[in-house]
mmCIF file with all atom_site columns, all heavy atoms in Angstrom:
data_model
loop_
_atom_site.group_PDB
_atom_site.id
_atom_site.type_symbol
_atom_site.label_atom_id
_atom_site.label_alt_id
_atom_site.label_comp_id
_atom_site.label_asym_id
_atom_site.label_entity_id
_atom_site.label_seq_id
_atom_site.pdbx_PDB_ins_code
_atom_site.Cartn_x
_atom_site.Cartn_y
_atom_site.Cartn_z
_atom_site.occupancy
_atom_site.B_iso_or_equiv
_atom_site.pdbx_formal_charge
_atom_site.auth_seq_id
_atom_site.auth_comp_id
_atom_site.auth_asym_id
_atom_site.auth_atom_id
_atom_site.pdbx_PDB_model_num
ATOM 1   N N   . THR A 1 131 ? 22.962 -24.918 6.604  1.00 95.00 ? 988  THR A N   1
ATOM 2   C CA  . THR A 1 131 ? 21.918 -25.211 5.634  1.00 95.00 ? 988  THR A CA  1
ATOM 3   C C   . THR A 1 131 ? 22.191 -24.425 4.360  1.00 95.00 ? 988  THR A C   1
ATOM 4   O O   . THR A 1 131 ? 22.304 -23.195 4.385  1.00 95.00 ? 988  THR A O   1
ATOM 5   C CB  . THR A 1 131 ? 20.529 -24.839 6.172  1.00 95.00 ? 988  THR A CB  1
ATOM 6   O OG1 . THR A 1 131 ? 20.283 -25.533 7.399  1.00 95.00 ? 988  THR A OG1 1
ATOM 7   C CG2 . THR A 1 131 ? 19.441 -25.212 5.171  1.00 95.00 ? 988  THR A CG2 1
ATOM 8   N N   . SER A 1 133 ? 20.588 -23.774 0.646  1.00 95.00 ? 990  SER A N   1
ATOM 9   C CA  . SER A 1 133 ? 19.339 -23.960 -0.089 1.00 95.00 ? 990  SER A CA  1
ATOM 10  C C   . SER A 1 133 ? 19.329 -23.096 -1.331 1.00 95.00 ? 990  SER A C   1
ATOM 11  O O   . SER A 1 133 ? 20.150 -22.183 -1.488 1.00 95.00 ? 990  SER A O   1
ATOM 12  C CB  . SER A 1 133 ? 18.136 -23.625 0.804  1.00 95.00 ? 990  SER A CB  1
ATOM 13  O OG  . SER A 1 133 ? 18.225 -22.312 1.310  1.00 95.00 ? 990  SER A OG  1
ATOM 14  N N   . SER A 1 145 ? 20.756 -19.528 -0.762 1.00 96.00 ? 1002 SER A N   1
ATOM 15  C CA  . SER A 1 145 ? 20.751 -19.003 0.600  1.00 96.00 ? 1002 SER A CA  1
ATOM 16  C C   . SER A 1 145 ? 21.663 -19.859 1.458  1.00 96.00 ? 1002 SER A C   1
ATOM 17  O O   . SER A 1 145 ? 21.782 -21.076 1.240  1.00 96.00 ? 1002 SER A O   1
ATOM 18  C CB  . SER A 1 145 ? 19.336 -19.000 1.197  1.00 96.00 ? 1002 SER A CB  1
ATOM 19  O OG  . SER A 1 145 ? 18.482 -18.140 0.496  1.00 96.00 ? 1002 SER A OG  1
ATOM 20  N N   . LEU A 1 146 ? 22.277 -19.236 2.440  1.00 96.00 ? 1003 LEU A N   1
ATOM 21  C CA  . LEU A 1 146 ? 23.162 -19.936 3.363  1.00 96.00 ? 1003 LEU A CA  1
ATOM 22  C C   . LEU A 1 146 ? 22.776 -19.560 4.780  1.00 96.00 ? 1003 LEU A C   1
ATOM 23  O O   . LEU A 1 146 ? 22.681 -18.378 5.111  1.00 96.00 ? 1003 LEU A O   1
ATOM 24  C CB  . LEU A 1 146 ? 24.625 -19.566 3.098  1.00 96.00 ? 1003 LEU A CB  1
ATOM 25  C CG  . LEU A 1 146 ? 25.662 -20.154 4.060  1.00 96.00 ? 1003 LEU A CG  1
ATOM 26  C CD1 . LEU A 1 146 ? 25.702 -21.686 3.938  1.00 96.00 ? 1003 LEU A CD1 1
ATOM 27  C CD2 . LEU A 1 146 ? 27.040 -19.553 3.805  1.00 96.00 ? 1003 LEU A CD2 1
ATOM 28  N N   . ARG A 1 147 ? 22.554 -20.569 5.607  1.00 95.00 ? 1004 ARG A N   1
ATOM 29  C CA  . ARG A 1 147 ? 22.206 -20.353 7.010  1.00 95.00 ? 1004 ARG A CA  1
ATOM 30  C C   . ARG A 1 147 ? 23.144 -21.174 7.890  1.00 95.00 ? 1004 ARG A C   1
ATOM 31  O O   . ARG A 1 147 ? 23.391 -22.361 7.620  1.00 95.00 ? 1004 ARG A O   1
ATOM 32  C CB  . ARG A 1 147 ? 20.758 -20.760 7.288  1.00 95.00 ? 1004 ARG A CB  1
ATOM 33  C CG  . ARG A 1 147 ? 20.326 -20.559 8.740  1.00 95.00 ? 1004 ARG A CG  1
ATOM 34  C CD  . ARG A 1 147 ? 18.903 -21.047 8.982  1.00 95.00 ? 1004 ARG A CD  1
ATOM 35  N NE  . ARG A 1 147 ? 18.502 -20.885 10.363 1.00 95.00 ? 1004 ARG A NE  1
ATOM 36  C CZ  . ARG A 1 147 ? 17.911 -19.799 10.868 1.00 95.00 ? 1004 ARG A CZ  1
ATOM 37  N NH1 . ARG A 1 147 ? 17.644 -18.783 10.070 1.00 95.00 ? 1004 ARG A NH1 1
ATOM 38  N NH2 . ARG A 1 147 ? 17.589 -19.720 12.140 1.00 95.00 ? 1004 ARG A NH2 1
ATOM 39  N N   . GLY A 1 148 ? 23.665 -20.553 8.929  1.00 94.00 ? 1005 GLY A N   1
ATOM 40  C CA  . GLY A 1 148 ? 24.499 -21.241 9.900  1.00 94.00 ? 1005 GLY A CA  1
ATOM 41  C C   . GLY A 1 148 ? 23.930 -21.097 11.292 1.00 94.00 ? 1005 GLY A C   1
ATOM 42  O O   . GLY A 1 148 ? 23.406 -20.034 11.647 1.00 94.00 ? 1005 GLY A O   1
ATOM 43  N N   . SER A 1 162 ? 22.976 -17.505 15.115 1.00 93.00 ? 1019 SER A N   1
ATOM 44  C CA  . SER A 1 162 ? 22.678 -17.885 13.738 1.00 93.00 ? 1019 SER A CA  1
ATOM 45  C C   . SER A 1 162 ? 22.931 -16.717 12.810 1.00 93.00 ? 1019 SER A C   1
ATOM 46  O O   . SER A 1 162 ? 22.932 -15.556 13.229 1.00 93.00 ? 1019 SER A O   1
ATOM 47  C CB  . SER A 1 162 ? 21.226 -18.357 13.600 1.00 93.00 ? 1019 SER A CB  1
ATOM 48  O OG  . SER A 1 162 ? 20.323 -17.295 13.812 1.00 93.00 ? 1019 SER A OG  1
ATOM 49  N N   . PHE A 1 163 ? 23.156 -17.039 11.535 1.00 94.00 ? 1020 PHE A N   1
ATOM 50  C CA  . PHE A 1 163 ? 23.247 -16.014 10.504 1.00 94.00 ? 1020 PHE A CA  1
ATOM 51  C C   . PHE A 1 163 ? 22.555 -16.534 9.252  1.00 94.00 ? 1020 PHE A C   1
ATOM 52  O O   . PHE A 1 163 ? 22.407 -17.748 9.057  1.00 94.00 ? 1020 PHE A O   1
ATOM 53  C CB  . PHE A 1 163 ? 24.704 -15.637 10.195 1.00 94.00 ? 1020 PHE A CB  1
ATOM 54  C CG  . PHE A 1 163 ? 25.452 -16.692 9.418  1.00 94.00 ? 1020 PHE A CG  1
ATOM 55  C CD1 . PHE A 1 163 ? 25.423 -16.716 8.026  1.00 94.00 ? 1020 PHE A CD1 1
ATOM 56  C CD2 . PHE A 1 163 ? 26.180 -17.673 10.075 1.00 94.00 ? 1020 PHE A CD2 1
ATOM 57  C CE1 . PHE A 1 163 ? 26.109 -17.683 7.308  1.00 94.00 ? 1020 PHE A CE1 1
ATOM 58  C CE2 . PHE A 1 163 ? 26.866 -18.651 9.366  1.00 94.00 ? 1020 PHE A CE2 1
ATOM 59  C CZ  . PHE A 1 163 ? 26.829 -18.657 7.978  1.00 94.00 ? 1020 PHE A CZ  1
ATOM 60  N N   . LEU A 1 164 ? 22.116 -15.629 8.411  1.00 95.00 ? 1021 LEU A N   1
ATOM 61  C CA  . LEU A 1 164 ? 21.432 -16.000 7.173  1.00 95.00 ? 1021 LEU A CA  1
ATOM 62  C C   . LEU A 1 164 ? 21.772 -14.995 6.096  1.00 95.00 ? 1021 LEU A C   1
ATOM 63  O O   . LEU A 1 164 ? 21.690 -13.780 6.312  1.00 95.00 ? 1021 LEU A O   1
ATOM 64  C CB  . LEU A 1 164 ? 19.910 -16.033 7.387  1.00 95.00 ? 1021 LEU A CB  1
ATOM 65  C CG  . LEU A 1 164 ? 19.050 -16.248 6.136  1.00 95.00 ? 1021 LEU A CG  1
ATOM 66  C CD1 . LEU A 1 164 ? 19.284 -17.646 5.555  1.00 95.00 ? 1021 LEU A CD1 1
ATOM 67  C CD2 . LEU A 1 164 ? 17.578 -16.044 6.454  1.00 95.00 ? 1021 LEU A CD2 1
ATOM 68  N N   . LEU A 1 165 ? 22.164 -15.506 4.933  1.00 96.00 ? 1022 LEU A N   1
ATOM 69  C CA  . LEU A 1 165 ? 22.337 -14.712 3.725  1.00 96.00 ? 1022 LEU A CA  1
ATOM 70  C C   . LEU A 1 165 ? 21.415 -15.318 2.674  1.00 96.00 ? 1022 LEU A C   1
ATOM 71  O O   . LEU A 1 165 ? 21.501 -16.519 2.393  1.00 96.00 ? 1022 LEU A O   1
ATOM 72  C CB  . LEU A 1 165 ? 23.790 -14.759 3.236  1.00 96.00 ? 1022 LEU A CB  1
ATOM 73  C CG  . LEU A 1 165 ? 24.859 -14.247 4.217  1.00 96.00 ? 1022 LEU A CG  1
ATOM 74  C CD1 . LEU A 1 165 ? 26.250 -14.517 3.669  1.00 96.00 ? 1022 LEU A CD1 1
ATOM 75  C CD2 . LEU A 1 165 ? 24.668 -12.761 4.485  1.00 96.00 ? 1022 LEU A CD2 1
ATOM 76  N N   . SER A 1 166 ? 20.519 -14.514 2.122  1.00 95.00 ? 1023 SER A N   1
ATOM 77  C CA  . SER A 1 166 ? 19.491 -15.110 1.263  1.00 95.00 ? 1023 SER A CA  1
ATOM 78  C C   . SER A 1 166 ? 19.206 -14.266 0.027  1.00 95.00 ? 1023 SER A C   1
ATOM 79  O O   . SER A 1 166 ? 19.267 -13.036 0.061  1.00 95.00 ? 1023 SER A O   1
ATOM 80  C CB  . SER A 1 166 ? 18.191 -15.316 2.046  1.00 95.00 ? 1023 SER A CB  1
ATOM 81  O OG  . SER A 1 166 ? 17.641 -14.073 2.443  1.00 95.00 ? 1023 SER A OG  1
ATOM 82  N N   . GLY A 1 200 ? 18.352 -10.551 1.430  1.00 96.00 ? 1057 GLY A N   1
ATOM 83  C CA  . GLY A 1 200 ? 18.247 -10.423 2.875  1.00 96.00 ? 1057 GLY A CA  1
ATOM 84  C C   . GLY A 1 200 ? 19.482 -10.915 3.596  1.00 96.00 ? 1057 GLY A C   1
ATOM 85  O O   . GLY A 1 200 ? 20.251 -11.728 3.076  1.00 96.00 ? 1057 GLY A O   1
ATOM 86  N N   . ALA A 1 201 ? 19.676 -10.407 4.797  1.00 97.00 ? 1058 ALA A N   1
ATOM 87  C CA  . ALA A 1 201 ? 20.761 -10.846 5.670  1.00 97.00 ? 1058 ALA A CA  1
ATOM 88  C C   . ALA A 1 201 ? 20.313 -10.645 7.107  1.00 97.00 ? 1058 ALA A C   1
ATOM 89  O O   . ALA A 1 201 ? 19.584 -9.698  7.416  1.00 97.00 ? 1058 ALA A O   1
ATOM 90  C CB  . ALA A 1 201 ? 22.046 -10.081 5.399  1.00 97.00 ? 1058 ALA A CB  1
ATOM 91  N N   . GLU A 1 202 ? 20.734 -11.546 7.961  1.00 95.00 ? 1059 GLU A N   1
ATOM 92  C CA  . GLU A 1 202 ? 20.400 -11.394 9.377  1.00 95.00 ? 1059 GLU A CA  1
ATOM 93  C C   . GLU A 1 202 ? 21.442 -12.096 10.235 1.00 95.00 ? 1059 GLU A C   1
ATOM 94  O O   . GLU A 1 202 ? 22.097 -13.054 9.804  1.00 95.00 ? 1059 GLU A O   1
ATOM 95  C CB  . GLU A 1 202 ? 19.014 -11.964 9.689  1.00 95.00 ? 1059 GLU A CB  1
ATOM 96  C CG  . GLU A 1 202 ? 18.868 -13.442 9.449  1.00 95.00 ? 1059 GLU A CG  1
ATOM 97  C CD  . GLU A 1 202 ? 17.465 -13.953 9.758  1.00 95.00 ? 1059 GLU A CD  1
ATOM 98  O OE1 . GLU A 1 202 ? 16.498 -13.321 9.291  1.00 95.00 ? 1059 GLU A OE1 1
ATOM 99  O OE2 . GLU A 1 202 ? 17.362 -14.986 10.447 1.00 95.00 ? 1059 GLU A OE2 1
ATOM 100 N N   . ALA A 1 203 ? 21.607 -11.600 11.448 1.00 95.00 ? 1060 ALA A N   1
ATOM 101 C CA  . ALA A 1 203 ? 22.499 -12.208 12.435 1.00 95.00 ? 1060 ALA A CA  1
ATOM 102 C C   . ALA A 1 203 ? 21.826 -12.106 13.790 1.00 95.00 ? 1060 ALA A C   1
ATOM 103 O O   . ALA A 1 203 ? 21.284 -11.041 14.133 1.00 95.00 ? 1060 ALA A O   1
ATOM 104 C CB  . ALA A 1 203 ? 23.854 -11.503 12.457 1.00 95.00 ? 1060 ALA A CB  1
ATOM 105 N N   . ARG A 1 204 ? 21.855 -13.188 14.543 1.00 93.00 ? 1061 ARG A N   1
ATOM 106 C CA  . ARG A 1 204 ? 21.148 -13.218 15.820 1.00 93.00 ? 1061 ARG A CA  1
ATOM 107 C C   . ARG A 1 204 ? 21.992 -13.934 16.870 1.00 93.00 ? 1061 ARG A C   1
ATOM 108 O O   . ARG A 1 204 ? 22.702 -14.894 16.577 1.00 93.00 ? 1061 ARG A O   1
ATOM 109 C CB  . ARG A 1 204 ? 19.804 -13.928 15.680 1.00 93.00 ? 1061 ARG A CB  1
ATOM 110 C CG  . ARG A 1 204 ? 18.937 -13.398 14.555 1.00 93.00 ? 1061 ARG A CG  1
ATOM 111 C CD  . ARG A 1 204 ? 17.568 -14.075 14.552 1.00 93.00 ? 1061 ARG A CD  1
ATOM 112 N NE  . ARG A 1 204 ? 16.775 -13.717 13.391 1.00 93.00 ? 1061 ARG A NE  1
ATOM 113 C CZ  . ARG A 1 204 ? 16.058 -12.610 13.259 1.00 93.00 ? 1061 ARG A CZ  1
ATOM 114 N NH1 . ARG A 1 204 ? 16.046 -11.742 14.252 1.00 93.00 ? 1061 ARG A NH1 1
ATOM 115 N NH2 . ARG A 1 204 ? 15.369 -12.363 12.163 1.00 93.00 ? 1061 ARG A NH2 1
ATOM 116 N N   . HIS A 1 224 ? 18.570 -7.145  7.552  1.00 97.00 ? 1081 HIS A N   1
ATOM 117 C CA  . HIS A 1 224 ? 18.573 -6.254  6.392  1.00 97.00 ? 1081 HIS A CA  1
ATOM 118 C C   . HIS A 1 224 ? 17.743 -6.898  5.299  1.00 97.00 ? 1081 HIS A C   1
ATOM 119 O O   . HIS A 1 224 ? 17.846 -8.105  5.052  1.00 97.00 ? 1081 HIS A O   1
ATOM 120 C CB  . HIS A 1 224 ? 19.997 -6.030  5.870  1.00 97.00 ? 1081 HIS A CB  1
ATOM 121 C CG  . HIS A 1 224 ? 20.037 -5.399  4.506  1.00 97.00 ? 1081 HIS A CG  1
ATOM 122 N ND1 . HIS A 1 224 ? 19.826 -4.054  4.305  1.00 97.00 ? 1081 HIS A ND1 1
ATOM 123 C CD2 . HIS A 1 224 ? 20.224 -5.942  3.260  1.00 97.00 ? 1081 HIS A CD2 1
ATOM 124 C CE1 . HIS A 1 224 ? 19.902 -3.789  3.012  1.00 97.00 ? 1081 HIS A CE1 1
ATOM 125 N NE2 . HIS A 1 224 ? 20.134 -4.919  2.353  1.00 97.00 ? 1081 HIS A NE2 1
#
Side-chain angles (χ1 to χ4, degrees):
T988 303
S990 57
S1002 296
L1003 176 65
R1004 180 183 179 90
S1019 67
F1020 73 88
L1021 173 66
L1022 301 173
S1023 65
E1059 63 181 48
R1061 308 185 187 278
H1081 166 78

